[in-house]
Amino acid sequence: MPQYTDIFYRFGIALVIGFLVGLQRQHASDASDKEIFAGVRTFSLISVLGCGAAMLADVSGSAWTLPVIAAMLGVLAAVAYYINAIDGDTGVTTE
């Protein structure tokens, strides 16, 4: 049973950190009345996916699992940036 609580804590901490970063981004965006690329849901989802990728790399014992999943997320972020850049919005970085 302790193994399951460890997994729960890891994913819970990742979710809370992603939620807090997204919350800060949304709060900072409300002051400037500017549309943001990512908020609470996106950062929470990405943090949980990153935690899952790290856990999968740990369980599989392969050193390539985490970089491959990170590269796939990078490709998705690049596609989203490209789609936003076509509309003239180039501000997707987190300052």
Side-chain angles (χ1 to χ4, degrees):
M1 190 69 160
Q3 183 182 11
Y4 295 123
T5 58
D6 184 46
I7 291 172
F8 176 75
Y9 286 137
R10 288 182 184 192
F11 278 92
I13 289 170
L15 183 65
V16 167
I17 290 172
F19 179 82
L20 290 174
V21 171
L23 189 65
Q24 186 277 332
R25 290 270 297 161
Q26 281 188 217
H27 179 69
S29 171
D30 288 342
S32 66
D33 293 332
K34 186 177 177 184
E35 187 177 334
I36 58 172
F37 168 69
V40 171
R41 292 177 294 177
T42 306
F43 275 99
S44 298
L45 179 64
I46 289 173
S47 66
V48 169
L49 286 174
C51 184
M55 187 187 77
L56 187 62
D58 188 38
V59 169
S60 70
S62 173
W64 287 101
T65 307
L66 186 59
V68 167
I69 293 175
M72 290 188 320
L73 284 174
V75 167
L76 289 175
V79 168
Y81 175 78
Y82 178 73
I83 290 171
N84 284 338
I86 288 174
D87 296 333
D89 181 24
T90 58
V92 296
T93 58
T94 303
E95 289 87 9

